[in-house]
Amino acid sequence: MQPYIVSARKYRPSTFESVVGQRALTSTLKNAIASDRLAHAYLFCGSRGVGKTSCARIFAKTINCEHRTPSGEACNECESCRAFNSSRSLNIIELDAASHNGIDDIKSLIEQVMVPPTTGRYRVFIIDEVHMLSQAAFNAFLKTLEEPPSYVIFILATTEKHKIIPTILSRCQIYDFNRITVNDMVSHLLYVASQEGIAAEPAALHVIAGNADGAMRDALSIFDQVAASSMGNITYASTIENLNVLDNAYYSRLLDAFVKEDVPAALLIYKEIRDKGFDSLFFINGLASYMRDLMVARDPATVQLLDAPDAIRGQMAQLASQCPVQFFYKAMAILGDADLNFRTASNKQFLVELTLIRLCQLLSPSR
């Protein structure tokens, strides 16, 4: 029996084509390799789980490949590719700056820079979380980064570009990685589910993708968690239960109460939500996001801002048509004030109930 490998590792991108949600960036890197216009230093920036380190490894592997494919990918057959795939390549050196951030670590790296490759054209140094380097380490690294040997390429990766000193930034080609869209994550999760023989409802995968906050790695970790608890059958109901997500059905019921100016119904729905153990601030923020989504879904010009499949967009647009757009503007402002005041409120339940009462009165002619 083969050991279990988590999806985030098992389905980690190994080619430019398999990188999710970074099509323009990977095309630029492939074009640079094909035209042999390689810089001596690159800086990959972006939030966690968007593919920075994976792209760095793929880039390092591909530039040393002896027989690249017509599409610009590594062949996986030459000695350089085989050495990389078996983790024995001497041409690709990785340094985790989060745990090796001192001047001695950089001096050791600089010593390795002086050693030319025994096979292949380049030695590639990947420094992950480079913003964690100490000031002294940054200063010691500057000269080598500016004028490395012709056979050396540096790839720096960071989640916090603003912490990189300007003298480092000026020496690098900078690539900003996008947060991965919900639709791109759902497509990849459907592929993973099919490969693993797991049944998954698209609506459930949208919940997982929404909770991943733009990070594919997080989405795969959540996918594994839900798949384990659902015994390989990922449904919408099992997903919202496992992740403790507040079902949009509550929000649509609240919208109906607001339209009908039904204060008792709104307060009773809020009681249901509290009885299920949901935090009141979580509820306020969720309702604010729902109002925002209805607002953008109401106008065909802005419906594309709703990160959801077309069927959901249509449903949201239909719901939003019950209210004038000014209702959503005012509702978002009221909910924003509630979020701002929540932390200082001595009676938080009263604040939320008062907010719901105000929302029920928004469509009242006497208001």
Side-chain angles (χ1 to χ4, degrees), residues 69-241:
T69 67
S71 63
E73 301 282 6
C75 69
N76 286 316
E77 296 174 358
C78 66
E79 174 56 29
S80 177
C81 287
R82 290 201 302 270
F84 177 87
N85 292 340
S86 59
S87 302
R88 56 181 175 84
S89 175
L90 300 177
N91 287 340
I92 300 170
I93 297 92
E94 292 191 41
L95 176 72
D96 177 19
S99 54
H100 300 84
N101 56 8
I103 189 168
D104 290 338
D105 298 302
I106 288 300
K107 285 181 177 179
S108 175
L109 182 141
I110 292 171
E111 289 175 4
Q112 295 184 66
V113 167
M114 297 301 112
V115 180
T118 54
T119 59
R121 294 179 60 189
Y122 298 100
R123 296 195 81 198
V124 183
F125 292 83
I126 300 171
I127 306 179
D128 207 2
E129 301 299 343
V130 69
H131 65 274
M132 299 289 284
L133 289 178
S134 66
Q135 187 66 44
F138 268 131
N139 291 335
F141 187 41
L142 277 175
K143 188 63 177 177
T144 303
L145 183 66
E146 183 174 22
E147 297 178 0
S150 59
Y151 53 80
V152 167
I153 292 177
F154 290 106
I155 305 177
L156 317 179
T158 181
T159 54
E160 300 188 50
K161 177 181 171 182
H162 62 279
K163 291 186 178 179
I164 307 296
I165 60 176
T167 45
I168 292 287
L169 295 175
S170 66
R171 288 162 169 79
C172 301
Q173 281 192 11
I174 300 174
Y175 288 80
D176 290 302
F177 283 65
N178 300 319
R179 288 164 58 86
I180 301 172
T181 66
V182 168
N183 287 336
D184 282 341
M185 282 195 274
V186 169
S187 296
H188 190 61
L189 291 174
L190 282 169
Y191 166 75
V192 172
S194 67
Q195 293 297 110
E196 296 294 313
I198 294 173
E201 294 179 0
L205 297 182
H206 270 85
V207 173
I208 292 173
N211 274 262
D213 195 26
M216 192 70 243
R217 184 174 60 235
D218 290 9
L220 288 168
S221 297
I222 298 170
F223 174 85
D224 284 349
Q225 173 187 332
V226 176
S229 68
S230 305
M231 301 299 291
N233 181 26
I234 300 177
T235 63
Y236 177 78
S238 66
T239 301
I240 62 172
E241 180 181 359

Side-chain angles (χ1 to χ4, degrees), residues 57-79:
R57 291 172 178 170
I58 295 165
F59 189 52
K61 174 183 174 181
T62 307
I63 61 178
N64 272 323
C65 177
E66 298 168 14
H67 308 292
R68 287 190 290 271
T69 67
S71 63
E73 301 282 6
C75 69
N76 286 316
E77 296 174 358
C78 66
E79 174 56 29

